[in-house]
Amino acid sequence: EDQVTQSPEALRLQEGESSSLNCSYTVSGLRGLFWYRQDPGKGPEFLFTLYSAGEEKEKERLKATLTKKESFLHITAPKPEDSATYLCAAPGNTPLVFGKGTRLSVIA
Amino acid sequence: EAGVVQSPRYKIIEKKQPVAFWCNPISGHNTLYWYRQNLGQGPELLIRYENEEAVDDSQLPKDRFSAERLKGVDSTLKIQPAELGDSAVYLCASSREDYYEQYFGPGTRLTVT
């Protein structure tokens, strides 16, 4: 069964305190690993797609990396406006599977 | 470029009543998705359209849910009759092709009382 597991469920950081979010997946026929950001009351906002192990992508303070079994979203020197839920998703041979997300709170 | 448009944004109905949600995808996006998101969970795919064809509806509760995408553009998701457990946010997304990055609308928050 295709599964996507995210950890931690919630993360509280001080402004400027770097950290990483984890997304582990067991998806057959993986066709990319997607990261989204979701603010309260809004739909998910696309951040990155990673297609192969070793691939990295960056956007402002975020960098996503991919291995054969997991992906990491690294947040460098976060700001309060980075507070949101971060979701990862993997399409395989079954419908797109989302993780439950990591709720990130960045405190000034 | 206009984003995915959904309406209504909020809906409160009594159980056993019907309800419908509407979605207008990004222009040129052939693939359209309907998701349901419960509080604290990731979105769960209900149905996926390639143009006007429903290519994946395995997780759509067909006894009470129906969907259509006439002319391969707008789409409507209907629930009849609604149950208390249907309370959730219903999200519509579109992508240029399947497995490409999806762009989501703001969702419709449904409350069934």
Side-chain angles (χ1 to χ4, degrees), chain B residues 61-99:
Chain B
K62 298 183 182 62
D63 56 337
R64 298 183 299 107
F65 285 64
S66 64
E68 61 182 9
R69 190 184 184 197
L70 300 177
K71 301 181 181 179
V73 181
D74 295 4
S75 179
T76 302
L77 177 69
K78 298 178 181 178
I79 307 175
Q80 182 172 12
E83 297 179 352
L84 294 175
D86 295 331
S87 295
V89 175
Y90 290 83
L91 293 162
C92 178
S94 69
S95 65
R96 197 171 306 153
E97 296 178 24
D98 196 18
Y99 299 112

Side-chain angles (χ1 to χ4, degrees), chain B:
Chain B
E1 180 181 77
V4 176
V5 179
Q6 289 189 249
S7 68
R9 291 295 315 278
Y10 305 92
K11 190 74 176 179
I12 301 174
I13 61 171
E14 295 183 348
K15 62 181 180 181
K16 301 184 180 179
Q17 294 301 305
V19 65
F21 313 124
W22 175 80
C23 173
N24 180 247
I26 292 173
S27 178
H29 281 194
N30 297 322
T31 307
L32 183 145
Y33 314 77
W34 282 103
Y35 290 89
R36 176 170 58 191
Q37 187 175 26
N38 292 305
L39 191 65
Q41 304 291 316
E44 172 194 16
L45 181 69
L46 294 174
I47 189 168
R48 173 169 61 96
Y49 281 93
E50 291 286 342
N51 298 304
E52 56 275 349
E53 182 183 359
V55 295
D56 189 343
D57 62 356
S58 58
Q59 299 192 86
L60 188 72
K62 298 183 182 62
D63 56 337
R64 298 183 299 107
F65 285 64
S66 64
E68 61 182 9
R69 190 184 184 197
L70 300 177
K71 301 181 181 179
V73 181
D74 295 4
S75 179
T76 302
L77 177 69
K78 298 178 181 178
I79 307 175
Q80 182 172 12
E83 297 179 352
L84 294 175
D86 295 331
S87 295
V89 175
Y90 290 83
L91 293 162
C92 178
S94 69
S95 65
R96 197 171 306 153
E97 296 178 24
D98 196 18
Y99 299 112
Y100 277 56
E101 51 262 31
Q102 298 177 25
Y103 292 86
F104 284 79
T108 297
R109 180 175 297 280
L110 174 67
T111 301
V112 182
T113 63

Side-chain angles (χ1 to χ4, degrees), chain A residues 35-92:
Chain A
W35 281 98
Y36 287 86
R37 167 188 172 134
Q38 187 170 27
D39 292 297
K42 296 187 177 181
E45 175 189 351
F46 172 75
L47 291 173
F48 304 108
T49 307
L50 302 166
Y51 287 105
S52 57
E55 188 175 0
E56 298 183 352
K57 288 192 176 175
E58 291 188 59
K59 180 179 181 179
E60 296 181 358
R61 295 176 292 282
L62 301 176
K63 182 169 78 172
T65 61
L66 182 67
T67 71
K68 288 185 177 180
K69 293 185 177 182
E70 58 192 349
S71 178
F72 293 93
L73 185 65
H74 307 279
I75 303 176
T76 302
K79 297 181 178 181
E81 53 262 42
D82 294 321
S83 298
T85 295
Y86 291 85
L87 297 162
C88 71

